[in-house]
Amino acid sequence: MTKPYDGSETTGFMSPARDHADGAVDLSEALRLASPSRYPVRVRGGGFASRGILDGDVLVVDAALDPAPGDIVVAVANGETALAVAEKRGGRLRLRRPDRYLDEDGSEVWAVAVALVRERLR
Amino acid sequence: MTSFALVDGNSFYCSCERAFDARLAGVPVVVLSNNDGCVISRTAEAKALGIAMGEPWHIASKRPELKGVRWFSSNYALYADMSRRMFEVLCSFSPDVEPYSIDEMFLGLDGLRGNREALGAEVRAAVLRIAKIPTCVGIGPTKTIAKLANRHAKNTPSLRGVCDLTDPEARRRLYEELPVAEVWGIGPASAARLARHGVRTVEDFLRMPAALARDELTVTGARIQEELRGTSCLPLSMLAPARKGLAVTRSFGAPARSRETLEQAVASFATRAAEKLREAGMVAGHMSVFMRTSDFAPGTKRSAQASSSIEPTSDTLAIVSAAIRMARRLWKDGYAYAKAGVMLGDLSLAAERPADLFPSRDPARFTRLMEAMDVLNARIGRGAVRPAAAGVGAPWKPRQGNLSPRYTTDPEGFMRVVA
């Protein structure tokens, strides 16, 4: 491994920035992927394209957050893991899939989506 | 007063599989040992079907009533990451967390306010919600009592996963009933020795004079008595004991009949052993290599082992070449080898060793090479950079007939969510 270039070994003039080099940005750190509550998940299907979430995207979800109205969440219902929107209805939080509301019994929030990573822009 | 909680993952490996596969909820699940050999983790549903721990799966799976059981090869990369999450959730409650094993962790409760049982329930809910692992929590003034409380919580669903045995009266009632063999540190052999003195329950054991307990179970016996009475003798330890030896051994997926295949297996075990050595910051001064045929398969049996001192090192290349030299000496044609291994001994901390007067390698150059190799392997994946001796294909690789994805650590394996 060669040392990453930080301007400290220039041959002519010493770099005035040499003590200020930050190195490459660590997205894993920025997205707090090392936190015990954060999980990366892969989106399958286009039902949330209107919310800007496309097939193949990676969502970073956080299992420690309480879902608030408007949040996109990962919900578990009937043996399926699916995206849903948390909505306030009649004073209670309901989970809405593109085509229907999930039953309150038998569905639960697994984690709340906090970030999106798209590897290829289309 | 000192107080401990033991947080123990329920069917930990199965729970890790369930965390990422919603179809596994409520169905019997088992996880098998290396090579898909025996049952090493089972859910309550699998236990109810009569599946025993350690049961060989190739036999058990033929039973018609076990047709619906979902089985998995062990996915240690996943379990390690989920264990880390569980540990870190516990660290948010108390600075004193002792990781006792991959699925059991002691939590020091000293200095935490509030009702202990409520705290136990809170810890349990947080681990379930964040690390996705259902647990039981046992609480007591000693580690031995916390462990016992944990076991009681597991066996008593009405406790909802939390049992606090801080109150001596609650303990007394339990001790009257509980077989002494349920106590942490008292194995079947000790229980049999105690039975000769008419000791059956924990209460019987506590009535035994300390001198007699010491005679029968060495000093450990007297210590267990003290711990069961509520006097803490085992403090939390945040550091793993220094390793005395280290082994990488595997059963092969398919038997090795050629010298080349076996040497590649040995080279790859040696590579992993050297990596573990460097992770622990240690060097090894002794090495053993063994190979043997299967005890069960037909054919002539052979078991061979060689040991020798080596120049203390953690250099993969030095360790691999020493291992291959030994394997070459041990090799005999005409056998179907089923298992081999590399053991390193005489370990010492690399930093504590005096510099060699006449080292056979340039130590600075070697350190840089090994660091580079470890960095690349950590970044690209284990085995990305390895000595050529470890080979390219791997016919000896263990059988993993139903390995789940590395859901949390491999971008190809991330959990799928339907949008």
Side-chain angles (χ1 to χ4, degrees), chain A residues 34 38-39 42 66 83 110, chain B residues 84-85 130 132 411 415:
Chain A
R38 295 220 163 173
Y39 297 86
R42 181 82 61 182
D66 289 317
L83 284 187
W110 197 87
Chain B
R84 167 192 68 91
R85 290 173 193 265
I130 295 170
K132 306 296 178 193
M415 182 172 76

Side-chain angles (χ1 to χ4, degrees), chain B residues 275-283 314 348-352:
Chain B
E275 207 175 88
K276 282 166 120 178
L277 202 56
R278 291 195 297 277
E279 276 166 19
M282 304 190 97
V283 295
S314 64
S348 52
L349 281 172
E352 283 173 7

Side-chain angles (χ1 to χ4, degrees), chain B residues 277-318:
Chain B
L277 202 56
R278 291 195 297 277
E279 276 166 19
M282 304 190 97
V283 295
H286 188 268
M287 176 187 293
S288 313
V289 170
F290 77 87
M291 59 185 74
R292 67 165 194 250
T293 55
S294 163
D295 288 336
F296 310 106
T300 17
K301 312 266 177 270
R302 177 163 189 259
S303 173
Q305 175 159 356
S307 311
S308 95
S309 293
I310 54 173
E311 184 181 329
T313 184
S314 64
D315 176 352
T316 295
L317 302 181

